[in-house]
Amino acid sequence: MTRKSVQVDIALQGGGSHGAFTWGVLDRLLEEDWLDIEGISGTSAGAMNAVALTQGLCEGGPGRARELLSDYWHAVSDSSRYSPIRRSLMDRLLGRWTLDYSPSYFASQIFGRVLSPYQFNPMDINPLREIVSDCFDFDIINQSGAARLFLGATNVRTGRPKIFRQPDITCDAVMASACLPTLFKAVEIDGEAYWDGGYMGNPPLFPLIDETDARDIILVQINPFERPGVPTTPAEIENRLNEITFNGSLIKELRSVGFLWEVIHHEGLDRAAYRDAHLHMIGSESELAQYGASSKLNAERPFLEKLHALGRQTADNWLSENGDKIGRESSWRPRDLFEESLQPAHLEPGTDRNVKTS
């Protein structure tokens, strides 16, 4: 039975090579011809997936978008063959995809605490820039007929989020969104310097709500919100700090959206963009939680293909369970994220503050 088309927005988290999970999710979603993608936001690896998705949809529709996503991630894996930071023999023998036992990774961590990229990488060599430049056509991405695209970065000078939009999406804008300050120099655009957008918006949500007509946002999550137990080893502590840091901005934005929903519903305000918004989340916390932060630098093709397969299966399961809710109601209400957030003044103390999306 043919389903009526539903406009949706897609929000894509960043997370290094774990972005291949998002590739798999998008690969599956693009098979659903009733999903009409109007807006796309992304940060870091999410920005890479976002530009591939935007260009593909503009060039030839879902089929071309799937092809371009595949081309990009295969180019990343091909480039990784020349990286000095690779899994150790111990990692391979233990069947681990992390780099925790890699001497080159360990050395790079120590090296990065002593010297900055302005010292150890004065030419600012970044193989990813060449891949982005070769894979994507920014004239097509900036066309008026393309899906609305929003890329998040962090302004180094002000510490504020920066959203790049069409027609200002460039290779520099994409690289700014993915600029890890311990590895690369800040990306300078129009006199301002930018770092990875994950620090201030991972991914940005408000542009999707304010600037598109779609009322459904599908968030593709890479970084787990929760992890059982307390980290005790240096690797475990670093891993959890990485997750908390790159989820912090998203949690704050979700809290802000939830606060607005509460006020608008209570006051009956005429803000349909918030009142009628539906929130959905596709992620695999239990599976992705088993990989440490160091694995986000592992771009070996078998690992990327494993993440792609996980993303496809996760999206397939999610569509079976929640696909009928798109266009009608939220399938995800992040209740736990609001436990310690600001309570709207109109609610009595102790009142349930769960997000009241329709």
Side-chain angles (χ1 to χ4, degrees):
M1 183 173 119
T2 303
R3 180 170 176 180
K4 183 179 178 180
S5 177
V6 179
Q7 286 186 323
V8 299
D9 289 331
I10 306 288
L12 308 176
Q13 266 201 326
S17 63
H18 290 193
F21 170 83
T22 300
W23 165 33
V25 170
L26 295 175
D27 195 40
R28 177 63 186 89
L29 293 180
L30 287 166
E31 293 178 348
E32 300 295 320
D33 57 9
W34 55 274
L35 288 176
D36 179 11
I37 300 174
E38 183 185 358
I40 307 163
S41 73
T43 294
S44 197
M48 308 298 171
N49 284 318
V51 294
L53 179 57
T54 302
Q55 179 178 331
L57 291 174
C58 187
E59 272 189 320
R64 174 57 180 152
R66 295 178 65 196
E67 180 182 288
L68 197 54
L69 283 161
S70 177
D71 289 346
Y72 168 75
W73 284 102
H74 286 150
V76 169
S77 68
D78 289 342
S79 177
S80 74
R81 291 180 295 184
Y82 306 103
S83 172
I85 302 177
R86 308 182 64 82
R87 280 191 301 161
S88 68
L89 178 60
M90 179 67 72
D91 289 316
R92 295 175 185 275
L93 289 175
L94 292 175
R96 296 161 55 102
W97 293 106
T98 62
L99 305 173
D100 294 341
Y101 293 102
S102 168
S104 56
Y105 173 75
F106 185 70
S108 71
Q109 294 298 100
I110 297 177
F111 194 61
R113 290 179 172 88
V114 178
L115 299 174
S116 82
Y118 291 84
Q119 297 167 316
F120 70 75
N121 188 12
M123 300 301 292
D124 201 27
I125 298 172
N126 187 344
L128 189 58
R129 176 178 286 276
E130 184 176 350
I131 295 173
V132 170
S133 180
D134 289 344
C135 284
F136 305 125
D137 186 328
F138 292 96
D139 288 335
I140 294 174
I141 291 168
N142 285 306
Q143 286 180 10
S144 60
R148 299 293 303 279
L149 177 61
F150 308 95
L151 304 183
T154 301
N155 186 304
V156 178
R157 182 179 61 84
T158 66
R160 297 171 186 165
K162 167 67 177 179
I163 305 298
F164 291 100
R165 302 167 170 82
Q166 294 119 322
D168 300 319
I169 303 296
T170 63
C171 183
D172 280 343
V174 178
M175 298 309 298
S177 183
C179 179
L180 290 173
T182 57
L183 296 178
F184 306 106
K185 294 181 180 180
V187 177
E188 295 193 9
I189 301 174
D190 296 332
E192 291 286 0
Y194 297 99
W195 283 339
D196 193 295
Y199 298 108
M200 294 303 296
N202 192 19
L205 300 181
F206 274 97
L208 297 175
I209 297 173
D210 285 335
E211 301 179 38
T212 77
D213 292 329
R215 295 281 65 84
D216 287 72
I217 297 177
I218 300 175
L219 168 67
V220 182
Q221 182 195 26
I222 290 178
N223 302 294
F225 286 125
E226 298 184 5
R227 182 180 286 272
V230 177
T232 56
T233 68
E236 290 172 346
I237 292 171
E238 179 188 7
N239 179 44
R240 189 58 186 145
L241 281 173
N242 178 278
E243 292 171 346
I244 292 172
T245 299
F246 284 96
N247 271 331
S249 58
L250 173 61
I251 291 173
K252 288 180 180 179
E253 198 158 6
L254 285 168
R255 284 175 170 175
S256 297
V257 171
F259 181 84
L260 284 172
W261 274 329
E262 288 280 7
V263 172
I264 289 168
H265 274 269
H266 182 268
E267 300 295 336
L269 302 179
D270 187 21
R271 286 299 304 275
Y274 292 92
R275 187 178 63 250
D276 300 330
H278 308 140
L279 187 60
H280 314 277
M281 193 272 282
I282 301 178
S284 183
E285 284 199 330
S286 60
E287 292 288 340
L288 291 176
Q290 66 182 294
Y291 304 120
S294 65
S295 68
K296 292 179 179 180
L297 295 178
N298 182 359
E300 297 175 50
R301 181 164 295 193
F303 183 46
L304 299 185
E305 290 178 344
K306 181 181 181 67
L307 291 170
H308 170 264
L310 174 62
R312 272 195 63 90
Q313 186 60 56
T314 300
D316 189 66
N317 293 341
W318 184 88
L319 284 167
S320 297
E321 297 174 6
N322 301 289
D324 61 338
K325 295 179 181 178
I326 298 178
R328 297 193 300 107
E329 61 180 303
S330 292
S331 63
W332 179 56
R333 294 180 174 85
R335 294 178 171 86
D336 294 341
L337 302 184
F338 300 92
E339 289 181 352
E340 301 299 330
S341 61
L342 179 66
Q343 177 165 299
H346 68 271
L347 294 180
E348 295 295 329
T351 301
D352 183 5
R353 295 174 293 166
N354 295 341
V355 178
K356 303 297 184 183
T357 52
S358 57

